[in-house]
């Protein structure tokens, strides 16, 4: 069983398009995250949700909009895609946001904007 | 600002020992994590330190000194499969994880 799953794994699209990435976790965790990993391999937190509520919203363009229909799902919608959005997007989950609990990562979505 | 520093790349020999250092400057401290990331894959958890000292887990150990803002990951009996990037991450006072850029470890036979 996959703990944290993301779809699609690869996404190639044109500038200006709108796309969504879906994430689901079956670990029963309360907290989910979206990260962006660029070509220099920096992992940057974008959003964090705890029990469907937004708790972290880093300085991310408002073209990026997360949606959490329930605590097992956190989807990421991106409007008007730009070349600089090309990166790997990782979804992750953890039991809580504090303490020593680990974050479990999905396999990543490789987004290429042409 | 908040900062995590790690060497960009290290090379070691199969069977040897390697130490990957991490220094941090963050607003508050609520624990330090090490993750392993193989090329093209997701990061996976290796270790967590919140108190000073050494945590040992098989071939991997992680050390923390909060007063020095310093940690290291020690890998013993290196195997070819240990070739990966190793990411240091610190949880700050707001419980946000601040990530380093990772250290790419190359293992040679």
């Amino acid at each position: 069983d996959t703990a944290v799953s993301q779809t699609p794994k690869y996404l190639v699209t044109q500038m200006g398009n709108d796309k969504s990435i879906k994430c689901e976790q079956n670990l029963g965790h309360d907290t989910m995250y979206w990260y962006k990993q660029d070509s220099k391999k920096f992992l940057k937190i974008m959003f964090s949700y705890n029990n469907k509520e937004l708790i972290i919203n880093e300085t991310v363009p408002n073209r990026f909009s997360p949606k959490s229909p329930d605590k097992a799902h956190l989807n990421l919608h991106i409007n008007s895609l730009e070349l600089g959005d090309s990166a790997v997007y990782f979804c992750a989950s953890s039991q809580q946001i504090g303490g020593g609990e680990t974050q479990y990562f999905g396999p990543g979505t490789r987004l290429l904007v042409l | 600002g908040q900062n995590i520093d790690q060497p960009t790349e290290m090379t070691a020999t199969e069977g040897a020992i390697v130490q990957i250092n991490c220094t941090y400057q963050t607003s508050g401290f609520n624990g330090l994590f090490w993750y392993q990331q193989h090329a093209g894959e997701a990061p996976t958890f290796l270790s967590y330190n919140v108190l000073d000292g050494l945590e040992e887990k098989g071939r991997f150990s992680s050390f923390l000194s909060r007063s020095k803002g310093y940690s290291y990951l020690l890998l013993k009996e290196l195997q070819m499969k240990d070739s990966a990037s190793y990411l240091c991450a610190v949880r700050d006072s707001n419980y946000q994880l601040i990530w380093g850029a990772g250290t790419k470890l190359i293992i040679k036979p």
Side-chain angles (χ1 to χ4, degrees), chain B:
Chain B
Q2 310 209 84
N3 200 43
I4 310 278
D5 284 316
Q6 308 178 231
T8 304
E9 189 174 295
M10 298 181 71
T11 302
T13 305
E14 193 177 13
I17 299 173
V18 72
Q19 178 175 310
I20 302 174
N21 295 326
C22 170
T23 57
Y24 62 89
Q25 293 169 315
T26 56
S27 54
F29 178 84
N30 280 297
L32 184 143
F33 296 79
W34 283 97
Y35 278 77
Q36 180 190 59
Q37 185 176 24
H38 284 101
E41 296 183 13
T44 55
F45 170 79
L46 284 179
S47 69
Y48 170 71
N49 294 69
V50 67
L51 299 176
D52 290 350
L54 189 68
E55 294 279 343
E56 296 187 75
K57 200 186 277 189
R59 294 189 298 115
F60 293 3
S61 304
S62 57
F63 172 83
L64 174 68
S65 168
R66 288 171 296 171
S67 61
K68 295 180 180 176
Y70 167 70
S71 172
Y72 67 72
L73 181 69
L74 191 72
L75 293 78
K76 301 177 186 175
E77 300 168 19
L78 285 168
Q79 301 175 10
M80 297 303 292
K81 67 178 182 180
D82 297 330
S83 291
S85 287
Y86 292 86
L87 307 172
C88 174
V90 173
R91 196 189 303 282
D92 68 9
S93 56
N94 293 320
Y95 286 93
Q96 290 193 44
L97 266 185
I98 312 299
W99 293 81
T103 298
K104 184 178 179 181
L105 178 63
I106 300 168
I107 309 296
K108 295 186 174 177

Side-chain angles (χ1 to χ4, degrees), chain A residues 11-20 63-64 77-86 111-114:
Chain A
L11 185 54
V12 181
T13 188
Q14 300 285 334
M15 258 178 28
N17 283 350
D18 303 338
K19 291 293 177 185
S20 291
R63 298 182 293 106
F64 290 80
H77 188 74
I78 316 171
N79 288 327
S80 304
L81 278 156
E82 300 178 357
L83 294 176
D85 297 333
S86 295
L111 172 64
L112 178 61
V113 182
L114 302 174

